[in-house]
Amino acid sequence: MTTEERTGLRRFLDRLTATDSELDAQELQRDVAKCGAKPAGECQRGQVVSVSGRLRTVAYTPRTNLPTLEADLWDGSDVVTLVFLGRRSIAGIEPGRQLTARGRIAIRDDRKVIYNPYYELEAPR
């Protein structure tokens, strides 16, 4: 058996034993690589980045001074929270939706956030 055949067999066996969430994370990471976005796990505070992934949660946070819409974007490596200041809702920003967002990474409560990102919604699959 050649090294290439062994590697292919190893990948096949890994796919058979992987959980659904592991397979989903691998697929999202492949999509991130294809579109040229930076993996969320590699993003550092202060960098202007383009991240791509799937929205896990979307929550409206009513605050006294400034309402916010917060959406957790997961790309298979880490989560980046997208914070839309002064918004109650945005058409198309909903759980399960694929999108690419661009902005400066900040850290809030030990979590990566992008405030008022530029974003592009991907066509539903």
Side-chain angles (χ1 to χ4, degrees):
M1 184 178 280
T2 67
T3 305
E4 189 174 306
E5 289 172 334
R6 234 179 271 142
T7 305
L9 180 61
R10 170 50 90 200
R11 269 185 279 158
F12 176 73
L13 291 174
D14 286 345
R15 287 186 60 79
L16 283 178
T17 59
T19 64
D20 287 342
S21 61
E22 289 171 334
L23 292 173
D24 186 41
Q26 290 171 4
E27 181 182 338
L28 282 170
Q29 289 172 3
R30 278 192 302 272
D31 290 347
V32 167
K34 277 188 221 173
C35 76
K38 185 164 188 156
E42 296 176 13
C43 294
Q44 301 292 320
R45 188 183 79 179
Q47 290 180 320
V48 175
V49 297
S50 180
V51 292
S52 181
R54 183 179 305 126
L55 294 177
R56 277 187 160 175
T57 61
V58 177
Y60 166 65
T61 309
R63 296 214 166 99
T64 309
N65 298 339
L66 185 67
T68 61
L69 183 67
E70 298 185 9
D72 287 340
L73 181 73
W74 184 62
D75 75 347
S77 69
D78 201 357
V79 173
V80 175
T81 302
L82 308 177
V83 180
F84 300 93
L85 300 171
R87 302 297 297 262
R88 298 181 195 286
S89 67
I90 299 173
I93 301 293
E94 55 198 29
R97 193 69 188 261
Q98 296 273 134
L99 66 83
T100 299
R102 179 172 167 74
R104 186 173 304 275
I105 294 285
I107 303 294
R108 183 184 74 187
D109 300 328
D110 293 328
R111 298 183 64 200
K112 297 173 185 172
V113 298
I114 299 176
Y115 291 97
N116 292 327
Y118 296 103
Y119 65 93
E120 285 182 36
L121 296 171
E122 294 181 20
R125 295 181 182 181

